[in-house]
Amino acid sequence: MNQLREYRYLIVIIFAIFGILLTGAYFSQTFTEQRTYLDLFMLMGALLFVFSALVAVSIMGFSSFAIYLSVFVSAVIAMYGIEGALLVISMTYLLWGLVFSIEVLLVDNDVESAIDWFKSRYTFETFKREYYAFYPMMYLLYILIELLPSLLHREQLKRFSPQQVLEKMWEVLG
């Protein structure tokens, strides 16, 4: 509740800016003025989106990546609009989630090169953050790589235990 009090003025200012822009668009005399206000409204929404993506990625602990992502998303918004930015963010999540999930599944199967990969790039805290961020991707990849082929080819199913991987990474990185 204290955090909400800290950001109360910021939230009020954001709503005030959007309210003033919509009021300006509503009471404009000409279509050109109305369009200008609506363009500015969309620009402010895009800036708010980039800023919120920057904050979300920074809170997860990836501060250097957050700056890169915000600059890249800003350029994409300028060129392709908000749909392009959503596409870039979702594709970045899917691509890095795929790489991370493959490595986690390899660690679950005791592949030494995957364990070395995590040792060279992660501490246990950074691993844990990405582990929870890409938790859905790990299950999706497990379904696509293990479950579906075992059902199609009637092979023995290799079990995947995310908790066991977390415990193993605690031993390796902790």
Side-chain angles (χ1 to χ4, degrees):
M1 193 62 164
N2 277 339
Q3 290 179 345
L4 186 59
R5 285 186 186 161
E6 290 178 26
Y7 299 114
R8 179 177 41 203
Y9 293 116
L10 181 62
I11 293 169
V12 168
I13 289 171
I14 290 171
F15 279 118
I17 289 171
F18 283 109
I20 290 169
L21 290 175
L22 283 178
T23 304
Y26 183 75
F27 289 111
S28 293
Q29 300 280 330
T30 65
F31 175 73
T32 307
E33 287 178 3
Q34 206 172 33
R35 184 172 169 214
T36 303
Y37 277 110
L38 291 176
D39 286 343
L40 190 55
F41 181 83
M42 294 301 291
L43 177 66
M44 291 301 293
L47 287 174
L48 183 63
F49 176 75
V50 168
F51 181 73
S52 60
L54 172 71
V55 169
V57 173
S58 293
I59 286 173
M60 286 178 23
F62 313 116
S63 56
S64 61
F65 179 71
I67 293 169
Y68 158 76
L69 184 66
S70 65
V71 169
F72 191 70
V73 168
S74 298
V76 168
I77 285 176
M79 291 187 291
Y80 302 109
I82 198 74
E83 294 88 5
L86 289 173
L87 182 66
V88 164
I89 289 175
S90 61
M91 292 304 292
T92 301
Y93 176 82
L94 289 173
L95 184 66
W96 186 246
L98 178 70
V99 169
F100 186 82
S101 299
I102 287 172
E103 293 294 330
V104 166
L105 287 174
L106 289 172
V107 166
D108 188 44
N109 290 310
D110 297 321
V111 175
E112 194 62 37
S113 62
I115 294 171
D116 292 339
W117 187 81
F118 279 113
K119 281 182 185 178
S120 66
R121 289 171 175 78
Y122 291 91
T123 65
F124 182 71
E125 288 303 315
T126 57
F127 170 79
K128 193 173 171 184
R129 279 189 222 127
E130 282 194 40
Y131 173 83
Y132 288 123
F134 297 121
Y135 201 78
M137 288 295 295
M138 286 186 278
Y139 273 111
L140 179 66
L141 194 66
Y142 173 70
I143 290 170
L144 292 175
I145 290 179
E146 290 288 336
L147 190 63
L148 287 179
S150 71
L151 292 175
L152 293 175
H153 300 294
R154 296 184 187 359
E155 296 175 354
Q156 183 179 0
L157 179 65
K158 173 80 171 133
R159 306 265 320 154
F160 174 62
S161 171
Q163 186 61 33
Q164 185 179 358
V165 171
L166 195 60
E167 291 169 4
K168 185 183 291 186
M169 291 310 289
W170 170 251
E171 294 171 9
V172 171
L173 300 174

